[in-house]
Amino acid sequence: MRVLLDECPPVDFRHDLAHVGVVETSKFAGFNRLSNGALLTAMAGRYDVLITSDRSIRYQQVIAGRPISVVVLRALSNDIIDLKPLVPAITQALKAISPGTVVEI
């Protein structure tokens, strides 16, 4: 599985998710300056899942019908200490997620 970590979570959070597959940051992929719509389009064919803290993405963008899925993190903050407890739930979600869907954790 190829996972793209959006700009919101800290870059080092990718290490906590390395067990799920290839995890790259949007900056590393060259997507860090793209709007959400352009980001989702650019991901197609390169990544399977976007992990983001942007809770409004599901309301601002059409995810259904896209070849990618989105995992939205709902933590107290984007600090790694608040995100680490979500790793087991993220892992489970990634096992069951299908293209065109959004899962909130």
Side-chain angles (χ1 to χ4, degrees), residues 12-28:
D12 289 340
F13 188 54
R14 73 186 188 284
H15 299 299
D16 294 288
L17 301 172
H19 65 279
V20 301
V22 176
V23 181
E24 295 177 350
T25 63
S26 60
K27 184 175 182 178
F28 178 82

Side-chain angles (χ1 to χ4, degrees), residues 16 29 71 81-82:
D16 294 288
V71 173
I81 196 162
D82 290 328

Side-chain angles (χ1 to χ4, degrees), residues 33-104:
R33 295 188 180 185
L34 297 178
S35 66
N36 283 342
L39 173 64
L40 295 173
T41 299
M43 286 180 58
R46 290 186 61 187
Y47 297 93
D48 304 304
V49 180
L50 173 68
I51 296 180
T52 184
S53 296
D54 184 349
R55 295 178 186 178
S56 63
I57 195 168
R58 76 178 322 156
Y59 306 108
Q60 295 173 348
Q61 302 298 321
V62 177
I63 309 300
R66 292 185 184 262
I68 54 101
S69 53
V70 177
V71 173
V72 178
L73 304 177
R74 299 192 69 175
L76 292 176
S77 76
N78 284 323
D79 291 334
I80 201 156
I81 196 162
D82 290 328
L83 295 176
K84 280 187 182 238
L86 301 180
V87 170
I90 294 168
T91 302
Q92 287 303 110
L94 293 177
K95 289 178 183 178
I97 204 164
S98 57
T101 60
V102 178
V103 173
E104 288 194 19

